[in-house]
Amino acid sequence: EPEVTQTPSHQVTQMGQEVILRCVPISNHLYFYWYRQILGQKVEFLVSFYNNEISEKSEIFDDQFSVERPDGSNFTLKIRSTKLEDSAMYFCASTVRGYGYTFGSGTRLTVV
Amino acid sequence: AQSVTQLDSQVPVFEEAPVELRCNYSSSVSVYLFWYVQYPNQGLQLLLKYLSGSTLVKGINGFEAEFNKSQTSFHLRKPSVHISDTAEYFCAVTWNYGGSQGNLIFGKGTKLSVKP
């Protein structure tokens, strides 16, 4: 069964550093998403991406965040200057028009 | 705005007992509904989804859910749980209007704890 692949599985970074979280969505999917889950809390939407541009973003997705699909297969989330409160599990997902979102296994980001 | 409410944050049950995890949603447009399971330290796995058609939806691991439009509910059920079902379960909703694709809105999750 096709999978969404996320790397790395765990990343530790110092506050103020830039991080890039990587995702390889399922190849025939058209919509791509980033969600995050702070420990013990619910999964929150960050951003959706379609046709090489952001289609929707939440209040969480401020100027510190950016997304990119650099080569037609990877989908990345960049956090320019990490804060302690950015520590969370970040999930990538992809879908074809709402017919079932497939999530990756997540990247656990720890900001110290 | 769309929202999802999972009424129970924790549900303890004994092995082989039936379980129902409740989910209610709020939306002014037609919706797609999902249940995801998250095992400890793992990602989100799709259990089942309702897109259209039959209101009773069967998923993996013996789970099923029923879409009730009048009660705006999508409760998850299993007739007999196993220890291995211990996990956190998330209800999620998205909407479809005019062919546009909405993002998923998640409930806060229900932690199912199955005891021997």
Side-chain angles (χ1 to χ4, degrees):
Chain A
E1 189 171 329
E3 289 183 344
V4 173
T5 304
Q6 288 187 245
T7 55
S9 57
H10 190 190
Q11 175 138 12
V12 181
T13 188
Q14 288 198 328
M15 191 168 53
Q17 295 295 305
E18 175 183 285
V19 293
I20 297 177
L21 310 183
R22 302 181 192 280
C23 169
V24 179
I26 294 174
S27 61
N28 65 333
H29 284 187
L30 302 175
Y31 297 81
F32 314 112
Y33 306 82
W34 283 101
Y35 289 80
R36 78 171 185 190
Q37 183 183 30
I38 294 172
L39 186 65
Q41 298 186 25
K42 70 175 179 178
V43 180
E44 300 172 292
F45 167 72
L46 291 178
V47 66
S48 59
F49 192 85
Y50 171 69
N51 201 26
N52 287 318
E53 61 183 20
I54 290 174
S55 48
E56 192 173 355
K57 59 184 180 180
S58 71
E59 294 176 351
I60 303 168
F61 194 88
D62 60 22
D63 292 343
Q64 293 297 316
F65 291 89
S66 62
V67 289
E68 198 176 38
R69 189 161 160 78
D71 56 15
S73 62
N74 290 284
F75 179 51
T76 62
L77 174 69
K78 182 193 290 186
I79 309 175
R80 289 191 184 83
S81 178
T82 50
K83 308 183 190 102
L84 294 176
E85 54 264 37
D86 294 327
S87 294
M89 181 74 91
Y90 288 81
F91 292 106
C92 173
S94 67
T95 186
V96 179
R97 299 282 304 258
Y99 297 143
Y101 295 72
T102 302
F103 282 81
S105 55
T107 293
R108 182 172 297 283
L109 176 66
T110 302
V111 183
V112 297
Chain B
Q2 286 74 17
S3 66
V4 178
T5 302
Q6 290 183 246
L7 295 166
D8 306 300
S9 59
Q10 297 192 49
V11 173
V13 293
F14 287 106
E15 194 174 19
E16 297 183 6
V19 70
E20 178 179 82
L21 306 183
R22 296 180 291 171
C23 173
N24 288 89
Y25 68 92
S26 170
S27 176
S28 57
V29 299
S30 62
V31 294
Y32 297 149
L33 293 154
F34 304 81
W35 275 99
Y36 284 86
V37 59
Q38 185 179 34
Y39 297 103
N41 301 313
Q42 294 190 28
L44 296 164
Q45 181 182 5
L46 180 67
L47 269 181
L48 48 78
K49 62 190 175 194
Y50 171 79
L51 304 179
S52 65
S54 173
T55 57
L56 184 63
V57 180
K58 294 190 184 296
I60 62 172
N61 301 340
F63 284 93
E64 63 181 32
E66 186 159 17
F67 170 58
N68 188 320
K69 189 174 182 179
S70 62
Q71 296 185 8
T72 60
S73 67
F74 191 56
H75 300 331
L76 181 70
R77 301 185 183 101
K78 186 169 182 178
S80 175
V81 294
H82 302 292
I83 299 285
S84 58
D85 293 322
T86 295
E88 189 156 19
Y89 292 79
F90 292 94
C91 182
V93 62
T94 189
W95 54 97
N96 185 15
Y97 44 83
S100 296
Q101 175 67 54
N103 55 277
L104 277 174
I105 304 295
F106 283 85
K108 291 187 177 180
T110 297
K111 290 185 180 175
L112 176 64
S113 174
V114 182
K115 305 176 184 216

